[in-house]
Amino acid sequence: MAVSPTGYVILGMLRHEPRTGYGIKQVVDHSTRFFWAASYGQIYPELRKLAKAGLVEGESQPQGGRKRTVYRLTPAGREELSRWLGEEPEVLEVRDEGLLKLFFASAGPPETALQTVDARQRFYEAKLAQLREIEPRASAAADDGDPYPDVVLRYGIESCDWAIRWCERAREELGKQDTKRRRAA
Amino acid sequence: MAVSPTGYVILGMLRHEPRTGYGIKQVVDHSTRFFWAASYGQIYPELRKLAKAGLVEGESQPQGGRKRTVYRLTPAGREELSRWLGEEPEVLEVRDEGLLKLFFASAGPPETALQTVDARQRFYEAKLAQLREIEPRASAAADDGDPYPDVVLRYGIESCDWAIRWCERAREELGKQDTKRRRAA
DNA sequence: ATACTCATGTAAGAAGTTACATGATTAC
DNA sequence: GTAATCATGTAACTTCTTACATGAGTAT
């Protein structure tokens, strides 16, 4: 039984401590979602598959009358996670509607390109703010023994910085082109 | 009848001249595939849907005994493309297995993080080489009146540059951590 | 001849999102 | 009491990839 890409996200999220499906979703949303998202529609069915494959183990731990299943890695799950970590990364997919719109901008009204760049900058500024908000937590976790989430988070922050600066440069360049075109007309 | 995301890629690829489905795939593979890919399994069915919706028009232009259908934008298709270009970009999805592996690296053997960073750098170097190869063509197209594909291509090149430099920095940092850990042990 | 490119298409399936349904607990 | 949070799950759907099938034209 093959583990799906998101299955490995789940295994990874259980590497330090057991969690509920709900808990996994919370952590994903505050960490990996910027480069790998996961919805309940994936998490719950996948947890069952992983349990059937013997890679995780669920234990019922109700709180009051509220049903609750906490999952932990089995030794086999820990091994499978480690094996996967040693494999060459393969998936790197991007679907970037903004770049697409900029690429095709000549087919739209003249303000298309600038608008698209502006929207892009706003997007990255919002993303940057979100990342800065969660950084302290990752930094604390780093002092606690696992430096990698913080390394990845800083990658996210720095790449946002870069993207924002690119937008600023692009705006300048596009402005010049506008001037040229206006002169030519 | 709603146009799918990839439908807009097709409309966009027809903005300057008519093309076959095969031709669209070629252009995508040499331009947008780095931020929006498309397979035959999407292109051919989608072309039919777009034709049914009146956004493109197919004309049979066999070459010898070889069947061949060339599609062009209809006025309605051009309008729909332009309308879409004016909308705020929404989709920006990333699925980055390398960052995931780095994030979880503490659960793997000690060399995991460095290996993952190395693989990442190789990946971006290969991508950079591909982009540099197609750049002259985009640059020529820019002189021909449409500057935007070249702008986007240079975004790709510069972001690869940035990512490669990040990998180099990360390797240094991870090396230091290794040293620290070895001293502590 | 044979390999490559041009060209069109489908079927099966993987992967993931959205929307919905349900209900207990906790904080204000 | 009521809103937010914790918690689990499914069904329908969209999107996309992979693998396969087919066949003509072109270059060596």
Side-chain angles (χ1 to χ4, degrees):
Chain A
M1 226 185 310
V3 179
S4 77
T6 297
Y8 287 107
V9 178
I10 294 176
L11 292 181
M13 286 305 176
L14 300 178
R15 74 198 181 289
H16 294 318
E17 72 246 11
R19 295 183 195 277
T20 63
Y22 183 85
I24 291 171
K25 167 77 167 152
Q26 305 309 300
V27 187
V28 165
D29 280 349
H30 290 90
S31 57
T32 67
R33 102 162 122 152
F34 302 105
F35 54 91
W36 204 294
S39 63
Y40 289 123
Q42 289 175 270
I43 291 171
Y44 285 113
E46 188 67 27
L47 273 171
R48 298 209 165 172
K49 270 190 231 167
L50 291 172
K52 214 178 258 181
L55 302 176
V56 303
E57 221 170 27
E59 192 190 345
S60 179
Q61 285 183 13
Q63 268 180 0
R66 189 200 278 161
K67 277 191 278 178
R68 193 160 161 276
T69 307
V70 180
Y71 290 90
R72 75 182 66 247
L73 282 183
T74 63
R78 196 169 292 279
E79 218 173 293
E80 175 59 18
L81 175 60
S82 178
R83 192 199 57 73
W84 174 75
L85 286 169
E87 274 184 359
E88 190 96 346
E90 278 175 17
V91 180
L92 209 172
E93 282 160 36
V94 180
R95 297 191 98 69
D96 188 329
E97 206 181 334
L99 286 184
L100 212 51
K101 284 181 178 175
L102 187 54
F103 190 95
F104 294 141
S106 70
E111 66 274 19
T112 304
L114 274 176
Q115 262 180 22
T116 305
V117 171
D118 286 347
R120 189 174 192 79
Q121 185 165 347
R122 283 195 304 278
F123 173 88
Y124 277 113
E125 277 165 354
K127 185 173 153 179
L128 182 58
Q130 289 178 313
L131 289 172
R132 284 203 203 285
E133 229 176 281
I134 58 181
E135 214 252 325
R137 249 178 293 176
S139 182
D143 296 334
D144 231 55
D146 184 352
Y148 301 111
D150 192 50
V151 170
V152 173
L153 187 63
R154 280 184 285 123
Y155 175 96
I157 289 176
E158 288 166 32
S159 71
C160 280
D161 264 340
W162 180 86
I164 292 168
R165 284 201 308 275
W166 183 88
C167 288
E168 280 161 0
R169 279 187 287 137
R171 210 182 352 260
E172 265 181 59
E173 203 188 310
L174 293 173
K176 268 184 227 156
Q177 276 172 9
D178 267 9
T179 312
K180 246 195 281 178
R181 215 180 306 141
R182 250 178 270 129
R183 269 192 206 136
Chain B
M1 225 185 313
V3 178
S4 77
T6 297
Y8 287 107
V9 178
I10 293 175
L11 292 180
M13 286 304 176
L14 300 177
R15 75 199 181 288
H16 294 318
E17 71 245 12
R19 297 184 194 275
T20 62
Y22 183 85
I24 290 171
K25 167 76 167 154
Q26 304 309 300
V27 188
V28 165
D29 280 349
H30 290 90
S31 57
T32 67
R33 103 164 121 151
F34 302 105
F35 53 93
W36 203 295
S39 63
Y40 289 124
Q42 289 172 271
I43 291 171
Y44 285 113
E46 188 66 27
L47 272 171
R48 297 206 166 172
K49 271 191 228 167
L50 292 171
K52 214 179 256 181
L55 301 177
V56 304
E57 222 170 27
E59 193 188 345
S60 177
Q61 283 183 17
Q63 265 180 2
R66 187 199 281 161
K67 277 191 276 179
R68 194 160 163 275
T69 307
V70 179
Y71 291 89
R72 74 183 67 245
L73 281 183
T74 63
R78 195 168 290 280
E79 218 172 292
E80 175 58 18
L81 175 61
S82 178
R83 190 199 58 72
W84 174 76
L85 287 169
E87 274 183 1
E88 189 98 346
E90 279 176 17
V91 180
L92 209 174
E93 283 160 35
V94 179
R95 298 191 99 69
D96 188 329
E97 206 182 334
L99 286 185
L100 213 49
K101 285 182 177 176
L102 188 54
F103 190 94
F104 294 140
S106 70
E111 66 274 18
T112 304
L114 274 175
Q115 261 181 22
T116 306
V117 170
D118 286 347
R120 190 174 192 79
Q121 184 165 347
R122 284 196 302 279
F123 173 88
Y124 276 113
E125 276 166 354
K127 186 173 154 179
L128 182 59
Q130 288 177 313
L131 290 172
R132 284 205 203 285
E133 228 176 281
I134 59 181
E135 213 252 324
R137 251 179 291 175
S139 180
D143 297 334
D144 230 56
D146 183 352
Y148 301 112
D150 192 51
V151 170
V152 173
L153 186 64
R154 279 184 286 123
Y155 176 96
I157 289 175
E158 289 166 31
S159 69
C160 282
D161 265 338
W162 180 87
I164 292 168
R165 284 200 310 274
W166 183 87
C167 289
E168 281 161 0
R169 278 187 287 136
R171 210 181 353 257
E172 268 181 58
E173 205 188 309
L174 293 174
K176 269 184 226 155
Q177 276 173 8
D178 267 9
T179 311
K180 246 195 281 177
R181 217 181 304 142
R182 251 178 270 131
R183 272 192 204 135

